[in-house]
Amino acid sequence: EKAELFYRKILELSPGHRNAMKQLITLFEKQSRYKEAIQIAESYLREYPQDREYTFRLPDLYRQMGWYEVALSEYLKISNDKNYQNDYRTFLGLGKCQFDIIRFKNGRDFEQAIYNLKRAIQLNPEIYEPDLLIGMIYKNYKKYNELAIDHWGKAYHKSKDPEKRQEIKELITEAQK
């Protein structure tokens, strides 16, 4: 509460204060107060439209809030900007939104989600999340266990987080049954 009051006071005195806006967004996000975080992030991007981090953060806030179609629309806008066409986060964001629409909204655009996730891997081969999601699409929706296991194996080797590695290992074990 004190941190929120502090950052709000800074913004009252200096409405475009970059750091205060960022800190308030982070605070609201940690508290799952997404509408408030989105309001500040939209305001922030009006002030600082070239901020790459927040260009991606805003649609991710929409996605976390469950506004998958809005998030997807924002990522599509980003993907049309030549400054972001070779940034893996563009395609990871597209793929995550499409995966969420498949998972939560009964979407069927499996191939486009897989394409975008594979494109993210091409642009940044070190990230594990696209392989994890591709594996889930193959296992849960396309019923291709072997392809799922292959992608989860790749995700397992890329992940450095012991808990995530254990989760992936369990997915592989389950798919092998």
Side-chain angles (χ1 to χ4, degrees):
E1 289 177 24
K2 288 181 183 179
E4 180 180 345
L5 290 173
F6 175 74
Y7 294 125
R8 285 194 183 277
K9 186 65 174 175
I10 291 172
L11 289 173
E12 183 181 307
L13 297 171
S14 179
H17 193 281
R18 191 176 201 144
N19 193 43
M21 293 173 92
K22 284 179 155 184
Q23 294 301 325
L24 199 52
I25 292 165
T26 300
L27 180 68
F28 289 151
E29 184 179 17
K30 286 180 181 179
Q31 296 173 346
S32 299
R33 294 167 59 186
Y34 299 114
K35 283 187 180 181
E36 293 165 287
I38 286 168
Q39 288 175 333
I40 302 293
E42 288 171 340
S43 184
Y44 177 87
L45 281 171
R46 281 191 295 278
E47 292 283 327
Y48 307 102
Q50 300 304 315
D51 188 310
R52 290 182 79 82
E53 176 188 352
Y54 279 82
T55 295
F56 292 109
R57 189 131 183 222
L58 178 61
D60 194 52
L61 288 168
Y62 290 137
R63 191 181 65 75
Q64 289 178 62
M65 192 166 159
W67 293 358
Y68 309 117
E69 293 88 350
V70 174
L72 180 61
S73 175
E74 289 296 313
Y75 276 113
L76 287 169
K77 287 180 198 171
I78 293 168
S79 74
N80 289 322
D81 183 329
K82 65 179 170 65
N83 295 316
Y84 296 96
Q85 290 175 346
N86 289 318
D87 192 316
Y88 80 93
R89 295 173 295 180
T90 299
F91 296 95
L92 179 59
L94 285 167
K96 286 167 70 171
C97 290
Q98 290 162 329
F99 176 75
D100 286 340
I101 290 170
I102 290 167
R103 186 167 52 163
F104 299 120
K105 300 280 190 163
N106 206 24
R108 310 309 278 162
D109 203 355
F110 308 121
E111 297 308 320
Q112 191 61 47
I114 290 169
Y115 169 82
N116 284 317
L117 292 166
K118 284 184 176 182
R119 182 77 177 115
I121 294 167
Q122 288 173 343
L123 294 169
N124 185 349
E126 302 300 314
I127 54 175
Y128 75 90
E129 192 173 16
D131 279 308
L132 177 64
L133 297 178
I134 291 168
M136 289 179 177
I137 292 170
Y138 280 137
K139 168 75 169 81
N140 298 332
Y141 303 100
K142 296 184 68 90
K143 308 301 181 199
Y144 297 145
N145 286 9
E146 290 179 17
L147 288 173
I149 291 167
D150 180 52
H151 281 279
W152 288 336
K154 291 174 187 176
Y156 179 85
H157 291 292
K158 293 176 189 179
S159 177
K160 307 296 182 229
D161 179 357
E163 288 179 27
K164 188 54 71 177
R165 287 174 65 106
Q166 181 60 37
E167 177 186 323
I168 295 167
K169 193 174 183 179
E170 290 170 11
L171 289 170
I172 293 170
T173 302
E174 181 64 30
Q176 289 172 333
K177 291 182 182 179

